[in-house]
Amino acid sequence: MQHQPEASTDSAAHSEVLLLLERPAPRVALLTLNRPAARNALSLALLEALQSAVEALGRDDDVSAIVLAAAGPVFSSGHDLKELTAHRADADAGLVFFTETMTRCAATMQAIIACPKPVIAAVSGTATAAGCQLVATCDLAVAAENAHFATPGVNIGLFCSTPMVALSRNVSRKTAMEMLLLGEMITAEQAAAHGLVNRVVPQGQALEHALAMAEKIAAKSPLTVSIGKRAFYEQAQMPLAEAYAYTADVMVRNMLARDAEEGIGAFLGKRKPEWKGC
């Protein structure tokens, strides 16, 4: 591991490093959720660490793609229910802490979308509730064949309302409602068929394949990738005519960039382009 961020810790385990940062390949960053004993539950501290790391990597000119993985057999079990339950003893019955946690979770998910660098989830094991939301929020996702996904909040009286936002933007409405109302696990193959993940790979190979995807992205113009990611999410929220007008303007401005001139010139000249990120 070449670099590790300043440690963020849980109140229950002050020496626990919640999030690991590595540089496994040129221009590729690897973030690893590191609460395996807690099934990588998204505590408030872990959400804060993840948001901070994603925003910092988004500003790092030496990074072009980010892979998000998890230590242990579970990708993430969602919100830390033990932490949330402990705050029921607060004077306000947990209102302030619950609000802070859900607001932070929403901010973290939006930070991933807003990050100019593509974020790829490498999923081994299960991803449930807010863990499933995290996978759905990432730009790309690779799942091991043993991975499973669910939004099971309905089974414990807490509907997965915020996970629903990301889930319903990845799969069909009928599929999202089935997952949300039944709370049942789906397999990696089903997740791929529904559009929740891009690829299913042999057990133990999710990280390897996600890193390979990241390296391919990192070999392209960072400016072009950043322009494309932002435009993708912006146009997805627009009516058809507005989306075409917006993306036409994006392409014109992209065409004026040095990297576009270089890339097209290299293609026509049958040579390898030299990206400058401008």
Side-chain angles (χ1 to χ4, degrees):
M1 185 166 61
Q2 296 177 311
H3 176 70
Q4 181 174 303
E6 184 176 335
S8 297
T9 60
D10 270 344
S11 58
H14 294 291
S15 62
E16 183 182 26
V17 180
L18 304 178
L19 189 67
L20 305 177
L21 171 60
E22 301 173 68
R23 306 294 181 110
R27 306 194 66 79
V28 174
L30 170 61
L31 291 173
T32 303
L33 306 179
N34 192 44
R35 299 189 72 207
R39 298 168 61 85
N40 291 310
L42 300 175
S43 64
L44 180 58
L46 178 52
L47 287 168
E48 291 172 341
L50 180 57
Q51 180 182 350
S52 177
V54 168
E55 290 175 343
L57 291 172
R59 298 187 295 267
D60 191 335
D61 292 337
D62 292 328
V63 173
S64 292
I66 303 166
V67 172
L68 179 61
V74 175
F75 181 79
S76 176
S77 58
H79 287 297
D80 190 329
L81 297 180
K82 290 183 179 179
E83 180 179 66
L84 292 170
T85 298
H87 282 273
R88 290 191 183 278
D90 295 352
D92 62 356
L95 174 62
V96 170
F97 187 79
F98 298 164
T99 300
E100 183 180 7
T101 297
M102 299 308 162
T103 300
R104 175 63 66 177
C105 183
T108 301
M109 302 300 162
Q110 291 177 83
I112 291 172
I113 297 297
C115 180
K117 321 296 172 64
V119 181
I120 307 168
V123 188
S124 297
T126 58
T128 57
C132 184
Q133 175 186 7
L134 185 55
V135 175
T137 300
C138 290
D139 304 298
L140 301 171
V142 178
E145 58 191 2
N146 65 314
H148 287 77
F149 304 84
T151 46
V154 69
N155 297 329
I156 60 171
L158 182 65
F159 200 82
C160 285
S161 297
T162 49
M164 172 173 64
V165 175
L167 183 67
S168 64
R169 282 162 169 73
N170 278 249
V171 305
S172 71
R173 290 190 176 189
K174 289 291 191 293
T175 297
M177 286 299 287
E178 180 176 345
M179 291 181 67
L180 291 161
L181 292 172
L182 299 186
E184 297 176 341
M185 288 281 189
I186 65 171
T187 66
E189 291 290 351
Q190 289 173 311
H194 293 321
L196 182 58
V197 302
N198 298 87
R199 301 178 185 179
V200 178
V201 300
Q203 185 172 344
Q205 296 184 21
L207 179 56
E208 174 188 343
H209 283 262
L211 287 172
M213 292 176 74
E215 289 187 59
K216 289 181 180 179
I217 292 170
K220 306 180 191 306
S221 160
L223 175 70
T224 303
V225 170
S226 174
I227 289 172
K229 175 175 174 175
R230 179 177 181 181
F232 177 86
Y233 290 109
E234 290 288 342
Q235 64 82 29
Q237 305 176 63
M238 298 176 182
L240 185 64
E242 185 180 343
Y244 269 117
Y246 165 72
T247 53
D249 181 63
V250 170
M251 287 203 73
V252 169
R253 288 185 285 110
N254 191 171
M255 189 69 182
L256 292 172
R258 180 266 174 200
D259 273 6
E261 180 180 7
E262 166 64 14
I264 293 171
F267 175 76
L268 295 176
K270 298 182 180 180
R271 59 177 175 81
K272 184 177 180 180
E274 296 182 8
W275 308 123
K276 298 294 185 181
C278 59

